[in-house]
């Protein structure tokens, strides 16, 4: 299981049926939260997502619609008896903000809160464990802002059952075959691993581009991703307003996805001025046909 669930798809101002940015990535039995706008913990409850399974939280930047829900979520986790450590990744100023909020409320958390600063001018891998690897990269916004690339690599080789039977390899040895081991038969003959297995499937990748003006420097980070999420705050007739506010339009997001050879494009961060979202698809699909709206409560398989 590798998927992303949309909790909030709106920009700065919430509406009755759309919330500020937040997403949950599911891989195996683990959850990663990406941005935490106002109301995120209510959305987690609404869609029956267990907040106790969240081990990592990534905050792209310090505009409120991307992190104003964070301290509330952290506090609720503690009140509900969480003891497992929680890792937060974001701009360095976020650590001070969290500590001030905890201090003035005289709050002591039940769990260890580990903060990992994303420093300006840097990029690269920020999390690597088992099958999941997360890297970060800068986007062009009014304040320091980062996108994230989530890569899931199945490291076990795939067994070819027919071949394994031909070489009389017992099923009890299959787990070692998946790890790449050769098999020595009772007659002394060595069965090479690649005779009976296939390489692991290619890594699947989800790229979250956060807030950004149109920027072709993002293309290498989006290259051939299974799904790219890119903001489309405005329809294309407001491209000048988008540029003035360091946001993007439908056509701009679709153009970048096309340039990057992405497999699918997910668009969101819609301005509250729009009540209907179909026009976003109407403008995006002619440029990049495999575009979908980021709809709250919907889970997209990667």
């Amino acid at each position: 299981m590798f998927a992303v669930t949309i909790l909030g798809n709106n920009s700065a101002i919430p509406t009755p049926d759309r919330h500020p940015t937040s997403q949950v990535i599911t891989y195996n039995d683990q959850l990663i939260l990406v941005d935490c706008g106002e109301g995120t913990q209510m959305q987690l409850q609404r869609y029956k997502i267990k907040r106790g399974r969240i081990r990592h939280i990534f905050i792209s930047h310090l505009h409120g619609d991307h992190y104003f829900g964070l301290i509330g979520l952290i506090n609720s986790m503690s009140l509900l008896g969480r003891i497992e450590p929680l890792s937060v990744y974001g701009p360095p100023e976020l650590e001070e903000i969290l500590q001030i909020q905890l201090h003035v409320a005289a709050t002591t958390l039940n769990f260890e809160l580990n903060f990992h600063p994303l420093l300006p001018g840097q990029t690269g891998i920020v999390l690597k464990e088992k099958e999941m690897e997360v890297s970060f990269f800068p986007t062009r916004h009014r304040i320091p802002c980062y996108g994230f690339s989530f890569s899931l690599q199945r490291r076990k080789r795939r067994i070819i059952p027919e071949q394994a039977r031909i070489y009389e390899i017992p099923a009890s040895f299959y787990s070692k075959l998946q790890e790449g081991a050769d098999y020595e038969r009772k007659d002394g003959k060595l069965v090479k691993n690649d005779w009976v297995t296939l390489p692991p499937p290619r890594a699947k990748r989800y790229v979250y581009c956060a807030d950004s003006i149109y920027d072709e420097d993002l293309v290498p980070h989006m290259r051939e991703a299974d799904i790219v999420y890119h903001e489309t705050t405005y329809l294309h007739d407001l491209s000048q307003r988008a540029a003035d506010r360091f946001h993007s339009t439908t056509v701009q997001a679709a153009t970048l996805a096309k340039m990057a050879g992405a497999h699918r494009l997910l668009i969101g961060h819609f301005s509250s001025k729009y009540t209907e979202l179909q026009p976003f698809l109407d403008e995006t699909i002619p440029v990049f046909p495999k575009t979908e709206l980021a709809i709250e409560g919907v889970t997209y398989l990667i």
Side-chain angles (χ1 to χ4, degrees):
M1 180 71 169
F2 188 28
V4 58
T5 301
I6 305 303
L7 301 179
N9 64 0
N10 220 44
S11 55
I13 302 175
T15 68
D17 58 349
R18 300 207 305 264
H19 301 75
T21 302
S22 186
Q23 305 180 1
V24 167
I25 293 173
T26 303
Y27 68 102
N28 301 333
D29 292 325
Q30 306 297 324
L31 298 181
I32 294 175
L33 185 66
V34 185
D35 278 339
C36 190
E38 181 182 354
T40 291
Q41 64 175 318
M42 299 301 295
Q43 291 292 85
L44 289 169
Q45 293 181 56
R46 176 173 297 169
Y47 300 121
K48 295 178 170 46
I49 298 170
K50 296 181 179 179
R51 57 190 140 197
R53 289 173 52 200
I54 297 172
R55 298 176 53 240
H56 304 280
I57 299 177
F58 289 83
I59 302 298
S60 62
H61 65 298
L62 295 183
H63 280 155
D65 55 322
H66 292 259
Y67 85 98
F68 276 174
L70 181 58
I71 190 62
L73 176 60
I74 290 173
N75 188 63
S76 293
M77 286 176 168
S78 185
L79 290 174
L80 291 170
R82 181 190 181 104
I83 58 173
E84 295 81 11
L86 177 68
S87 291
V88 176
Y89 307 76
E93 296 85 356
L94 179 58
E95 182 176 22
E96 181 180 2
I97 292 171
L98 292 174
Q99 292 302 325
I100 289 173
Q101 290 172 316
L102 293 171
H103 174 71
V104 298
T107 297
T108 301
L109 300 176
N110 296 328
F111 57 88
E112 183 179 346
L113 182 62
N114 299 311
F115 188 82
H116 305 268
L118 306 177
L119 300 177
Q122 294 190 8
T123 186
I125 297 171
V126 69
L127 172 65
K128 189 171 186 178
E129 58 178 23
K130 295 182 179 179
E131 297 177 336
M132 174 58 68
E133 181 175 289
V134 184
S135 58
F136 74 106
F137 54 89
T139 68
R140 287 183 61 201
H141 197 40
R142 291 192 295 114
I143 62 174
C145 184
Y146 301 96
F148 305 104
S149 174
F150 301 88
S151 179
L152 185 69
Q153 175 66 67
R154 305 293 186 188
R155 305 194 185 280
K156 292 184 178 181
R157 296 182 66 84
R158 294 173 289 175
I159 295 170
I160 308 172
E162 301 80 5
Q163 290 295 102
R165 285 194 289 270
I166 289 172
Y167 287 104
E168 301 176 351
I169 301 176
S172 59
F173 195 80
Y174 282 10
S175 61
K176 293 183 179 179
L177 289 179
Q178 289 178 312
E179 299 295 334
D182 296 331
Y183 176 70
E184 186 175 352
R185 300 193 338 172
K186 292 180 180 179
D187 60 9
K189 182 177 180 180
L190 186 66
V191 180
K192 293 290 188 179
N193 186 274
D194 58 8
W195 297 352
V196 294
T197 69
L198 295 171
R202 72 172 184 85
K204 288 186 174 293
R205 198 157 61 92
Y206 174 63
V207 177
Y208 175 85
C209 286
D211 287 9
S212 181
I213 196 171
Y214 177 78
D215 182 10
E216 294 183 3
D217 286 344
L218 294 177
V219 170
H221 301 289
M222 301 164 57
R223 185 82 64 193
E224 297 183 352
D226 293 271
I227 298 181
V228 167
Y229 169 86
H230 196 289
E231 67 134 288
T232 50
T233 305
Y234 299 105
L235 296 174
H236 201 61
D237 64 324
L238 294 181
S239 58
Q240 187 57 55
R241 181 184 297 186
D244 292 343
R245 299 182 179 183
F246 281 78
H247 285 299
S248 295
T249 71
T250 48
V251 173
Q252 291 170 343
T255 299
L256 292 178
K258 183 177 181 179
M259 292 173 64
H263 296 188
R264 293 158 65 194
L265 173 64
L266 198 58
I267 57 173
H269 200 264
F270 308 114
S271 169
S272 298
K273 73 184 300 295
Y274 301 105
T275 57
E276 298 295 327
L277 298 182
Q278 182 60 40
F280 285 83
L281 280 184
D282 294 341
E283 289 192 354
T284 309
I285 285 178
V287 181
F288 190 81
K290 293 184 177 180
T291 301
E292 299 172 71
L293 296 171
I295 300 298
E296 293 183 6
V298 175
T299 296
Y300 301 83
L301 297 178
I302 300 169

